């Protein structure tokens, strides 16, 4: 693909943005960065409920890519926002988000695009790709997650053996015992009519998330978010995870064969305690076009080597 690079200012800031009506009273925020004539790519953010990050385009040569970012339902700049306790999450499911991505692709006049995203973002983009493989050129995933119930149970129970003090606080905050439905309990607490109860539940959930990545040396990234973003993310996370993301257990790995030889680059940290590398390994075994690179020194949040491998993949796919 031969493209003409835009001036640096066009690469650094969005050159187009807007709000897209996706139905059910929802409007999602979207923006486009990079070269308007470049290879289309979409960034699928994590969380769920974290909103898109302005750092995500670092994975791309913006002189060669037209990079689309969007905030999934009820978070970021999308409306209505889940920080408002009166806002219902009823029309926020994996199926809704897959449909939103297709609507956004059509709205922007894109025929096919590269998918990029990690953590929850990898779950959503895999769900999209397995339903619409004809709309995808390549896939790049740092930190592979498929949101199986077994993965959710590990993140909120199993990995507690590495952080017993923090997990004990997480269990205590849930109001259940260690064998109880912790995620379901928090899903109820963040919907409690008492704002004190909701605030405490959000803080306890984020403290656990930060504990899981504490060995990665990046501080407390979850608790550092603005309060509205914290509330939205915890509400949406608890909503999705208490329902197993409305996905049949193991379906994304089972159906990875639908991607065939569609090129995929999977990059996963060996030290990812919250999402062990086994999931990435299983996915790669079932997807003929995928290549897995394991970064020995990285965890869930990645780092310089993860970014280098991701950028090498997008550079290769740009050609």
């Amino acid at each position: 693909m031969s493209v003409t690079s835009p001036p640096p200012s066009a690469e650094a800031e969005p050159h187009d943005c807007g709000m897209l009506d996706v139905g059910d009273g929802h409007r999602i925020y979207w923006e486009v960065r990079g070269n308007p004539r470049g290879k289309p790519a979409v960034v699928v953010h994590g969380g769920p409920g974290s909103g898109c990050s302005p750092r995500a385009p670092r994975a791309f040569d913006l002189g060669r890519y037209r990079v689309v970012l969007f905030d999934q339902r009820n978070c970021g700049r999308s409306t209505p926002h889940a920080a408002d306790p009166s806002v219902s999450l009823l029309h926020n499911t994996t199926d809704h988000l897959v449909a939103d991505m297709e609507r956004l692709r059509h709205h922007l006049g894109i025929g096919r695009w590269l998918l990029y995203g990690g953590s929850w973002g990898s779950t959503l983009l895999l769900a999209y790709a397995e339903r619409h493989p004809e709309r995808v050129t390549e896939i790049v995933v740092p930190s592979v997650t498929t949101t199986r119930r077994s993965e959710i149970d590990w993140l909120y129970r199993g990995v507690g053996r590495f952080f017993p003090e923090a997990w004990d606080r997480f269990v205590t905050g849930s109001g259940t015992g260690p064998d109880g439905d912790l995620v379901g309990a928090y899903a109820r607490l963040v919907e409690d009519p008492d704002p004190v109860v909701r605030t405490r539940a959000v803080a306890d959930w984020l403290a656990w998330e930060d504990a899981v990545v504490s060995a990665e040396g990046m501080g407390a990234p979850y608790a550092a978010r603005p309060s509205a973003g914290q509330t939205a993310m915890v509400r949406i996370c608890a909503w999705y995870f208490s329902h197993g993301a409305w996905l049949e257990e193991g379906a994304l790995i089972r159906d990875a064969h639908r991607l065939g030889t569609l090129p995929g680059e999977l990059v996963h940290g060996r030290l990812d305690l919250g999402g062990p590398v086994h999931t990435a390994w299983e996915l790669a075994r079932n997807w003929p076009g995928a290549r897995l690179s394991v970064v020995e020194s990285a965890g869930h949040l990645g780092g310089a080597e993860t970014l280098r491998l991701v950028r090498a993949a997008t550079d290769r796919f740009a050609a």
Side-chain angles (χ1 to χ4, degrees), residues 16-57:
D16 197 7
C17 64
M19 300 290 290
L20 178 64
D21 187 339
V22 291
D24 309 310
H26 287 265
R27 299 172 75 229
I28 62 169
Y29 172 82
W30 60 268
E31 65 183 41
V32 185
R33 301 183 182 222
N35 190 330
R37 296 173 298 282
K39 178 183 176 70
V42 61
V43 175
V44 186
H45 70 69
S50 69
C52 61
S53 168
R55 295 181 315 225

Side-chain angles (χ1 to χ4, degrees), residues 5-308:
S5 297
S9 60
E11 294 183 9
E13 298 295 334
H15 59 73
D16 197 7
C17 64
M19 300 290 290
L20 178 64
D21 187 339
V22 291
D24 309 310
H26 287 265
R27 299 172 75 229
I28 62 169
Y29 172 82
W30 60 268
E31 65 183 41
V32 185
R33 301 183 182 222
N35 190 330
R37 296 173 298 282
K39 178 183 176 70
V42 61
V43 175
V44 186
H45 70 69
S50 69
C52 61
S53 168
R55 295 181 315 225
R58 295 182 304 165
F60 300 92
D61 176 349
L62 293 178
R64 304 168 79 188
Y65 275 94
R66 176 189 180 194
V67 180
V68 179
L69 297 91
F70 71 101
D71 292 325
Q72 295 161 29
R73 293 191 181 203
N74 299 124
C75 70
R77 287 153 287 188
S78 295
T79 61
H81 200 274
D84 180 349
S86 69
V87 168
S88 171
L89 301 181
L90 185 61
H91 295 111
N92 189 342
T93 69
T94 303
D95 283 347
H96 286 102
L97 299 187
V98 168
D100 291 351
M101 289 177 63
E102 262 298 85
R103 189 166 292 174
L104 178 60
R105 181 193 62 78
H106 187 267
H107 175 73
L108 295 176
I110 295 172
R112 301 170 71 214
W113 51 7
L114 178 149
L115 308 182
Y116 170 78
S119 195
W120 158 255
S122 64
T123 295
L124 179 54
L125 69 78
L126 286 168
Y128 174 91
E130 290 180 10
R131 297 181 201 184
H132 304 287
E134 74 284 357
R135 297 302 183 189
V136 183
T137 56
E138 302 90 9
I139 296 175
V140 180
V141 177
S143 303
V144 178
T145 301
T146 65
T147 317
R148 290 174 291 186
R149 287 162 181 81
S150 59
E151 294 172 51
I152 296 167
D153 186 69
W154 170 261
L155 178 56
Y156 297 103
R157 188 188 313 278
V159 76
R161 68 193 66 181
F162 293 100
F163 307 99
E165 306 92 342
W167 191 67
D168 184 65
R169 291 191 294 270
F170 183 64
V171 171
T172 300
S174 74
T176 68
D179 297 323
D181 179 6
L182 301 176
V183 174
Y186 275 97
R188 292 186 291 274
L189 289 170
V190 294
E191 302 299 334
D192 195 278
D194 186 342
V196 174
V197 173
R198 295 197 304 270
T199 299
R200 183 70 257 170
V202 167
D204 288 342
W205 180 286
L206 293 174
W208 172 245
E209 298 280 5
D210 280 331
V212 173
V213 298
S214 60
E216 299 183 28
M218 297 190 184
Y222 297 101
R225 295 170 182 267
S227 60
Q230 292 178 351
T231 300
M233 192 183 90
V234 175
R235 280 191 72 198
I236 296 170
C237 277
W239 168 246
Y240 269 76
F241 296 162
S242 64
H243 289 88
W246 298 272
L247 294 169
E248 183 182 345
E249 183 73 355
L252 295 182
I253 291 176
R254 181 198 67 204
D255 296 339
H257 65 87
R258 294 179 181 175
L259 303 177
T261 58
L262 182 70
E265 191 75 22
L266 312 178
V267 183
H268 205 95
R270 180 80 70 189
L271 305 181
D272 187 343
L273 294 179
V277 69
H278 188 260
T279 294
W281 181 77
E282 288 180 288
L283 179 63
R285 286 187 68 193
N286 285 276
W287 175 4
R291 182 174 72 175
L292 171 63
S293 298
V294 178
V295 182
E296 299 296 335
S297 60
H300 190 71
L301 302 177
E305 179 61 10
T306 298
L307 180 59
R308 186 190 71 78

